[in-house]
Amino acid sequence: MKIGLALILLSIAAMFIRAFTIEGDTVWLKLVLQKTLLIGMLIMSLSKDKEEDEMTMSLRAQSYAIAFIVGVVYALVMPYVEFGVSNVVNSGGEAYKDLGDFQVLLFMLMIQLMFYHTLKRYR
């Protein structure tokens, strides 16, 4: 859990530093930091608790199922919401944009971690 949290914090800090100080073409750095953030969240998601039993394993499985369902709905609905809002805000017809893999995976991992800790708290 601590390793995953450290990776997340380091990658977010590096993203801010890259955004405000580094100029030029740093697309490769952006991709590396995004992948590092996802790996940190995945490590947090898979890490075992101090008291790992059948109940926590069941809660983890439930949170993965919820994250999958919410992630699929998000991936299906969000491009149309973004398209509609951008056309309302910008009067010149905006093009339809599909979600990227990073955005969907980040959303699903955030939902899984949030639901797991919420379910664990109220068990």
Side-chain angles (χ1 to χ4, degrees), residues 12-93:
I12 289 174
M15 284 179 183
F16 277 113
I17 291 170
R18 182 195 151 273
F20 293 117
T21 60
I22 300 175
E23 294 181 12
D25 188 24
T26 58
V27 175
W28 64 272
L29 182 60
K30 177 183 174 184
L31 292 174
V32 167
L33 293 173
Q34 287 178 347
K35 302 304 181 203
T36 306
L37 178 66
L38 288 177
I39 290 170
M41 290 183 75
L42 183 63
I43 289 171
M44 282 184 66
S45 174
L46 295 174
S47 66
K48 292 189 179 224
D49 292 336
K50 290 179 182 178
E51 299 174 9
E52 189 77 22
D53 58 358
E54 292 84 14
M55 180 63 134
T56 57
M57 290 174 23
S58 172
L59 294 176
R60 190 180 309 271
Q62 286 177 358
S63 67
Y64 279 121
I66 292 169
F68 178 76
I69 292 168
V70 172
V72 168
V73 170
Y74 175 77
L76 292 173
V77 172
M78 194 60 195
Y80 297 108
V81 171
E82 187 175 319
F83 177 72
V85 169
S86 67
N87 279 332
V88 168
V89 172
N90 302 328
S91 59

